[in-house]
Amino acid sequence: MPILPINTDYRPPKWQFNAHIQTIYPSIFRKIPVPYQRERVELFDGDFLDLDWSFVRKSHGKKLVIVTHGLEGDSTRHYVTGMVKKFNDNGYDGLGWNCRSCSGEMNRLPRFYHHGDIDDIRFVMNYAIEKYKYEEVILVGFSMGGSMTLRLLGEKPETIPSQVKFGVAVSVPLDLFTSVFELYKPGRRFYMKRFINKLGKKIKLKSTQHPNSQLVSYEGYEKIKNFEQFDDRYTAKMFGFKNALDFYRKAGAKPYLKTIKIPTLIVQAKNDPFLSPECLDLGDAENNPNLSLQLLEFGGHVGFMLPNSNETWVEQRVWEFVNEK
């Protein structure tokens, strides 16, 4: 596996002088509009997914980038639209899809999504290829979306369509177990509190939709203060794990890296406040020639902004990666 040298040339804007600013500023202020066309797709289990397409021409192209957002994100997040625009500008159609209950409307079923839940991303991949007959597809995932993308590529690599040529994962908690507890550390808990508050609003809506379901009961939610408590009560029960710790051990992408069969780039920042040190190496996948790990000193969590540019270093690097193979 090529472990690429730490990129000493990349520097964030000077005023982004720490990891938190590098993470938070683009999340709030960076805006990259793209001309999305929404399609609602019905699923076999009675639920739906909302897909946001950005076509380069009315007749559609032959190439597509599929971008998967992070936890409690959606297709309009700056890192999704930025990557879609980068590829649109170079002749690719773009697809930003929304995990269940992330598109602005609550889904019908009680279930949500999680880092290791790859049924929906597999459906999206196959659906897009079949509908528009794409000849080249690139899968890009950020944070949790990176986990989903890597697991999709590695869990059953023989089922990946030949049209899928490259994979990319950025700011991904490769070792989910240790990464979760990074946000328990002083100075980082506010990230976790924000996630718990956002998830709580959806649990409240779900409990109204399904008042007799214990899977999404909102009663006593104010007692939940961290991920372990949330995942014990909801994620584990919803998806058949013993408890939160069992979920963290089994849902991560790291064990599946060694079986990935297509060229795949993983980009991590060493100062990412969401990632543990265990997320900065690839364990027993180090001999997989299909993987490239690129570590940067800076960038924060899905930040990587460039001075005097509205593009990110990651968008430029991913485009280079796709064209250097």
Side-chain angles (χ1 to χ4, degrees), residues 27 80 125-126 140 164 166 179 197 202 225 284 310-311:
S27 178
V80 177
M125 172 186 69
N126 290 330
V140 181
V164 178
F166 301 96
S179 183
N197 288 341
K202 289 185 177 179
K225 304 299 182 184
D284 60 0
N310 208 23
E311 278 196 343

Side-chain angles (χ1 to χ4, degrees), residues 286-305:
E286 63 182 7
N287 294 319
N288 185 343
N290 298 305
L291 297 184
S292 298
L293 171 63
Q294 186 124 42
L295 297 176
L296 280 72
E297 291 284 0
F298 310 103
H301 190 72
V302 294
F304 306 102
M305 290 188 71

Side-chain angles (χ1 to χ4, degrees), residues 231-244 247:
D231 291 322
D232 257 333
R233 180 169 174 180
Y234 298 106
T235 311
K237 293 178 181 178
M238 197 174 290
F239 292 98
F241 298 99
K242 294 178 183 177
N243 50 39
F247 162 55

Side-chain angles (χ1 to χ4, degrees), residues 45 47-48 51 55 77 102 129-130 133 206 249 254 269 289 306:
D45 62 6
D47 217 332
F48 65 88
L51 314 184
F55 299 112
R77 299 297 292 139
C102 290
I129 292 172
E130 181 178 352
K133 310 303 179 187
K206 283 287 186 186
R249 291 189 181 98
K254 201 169 187 178
L306 290 165

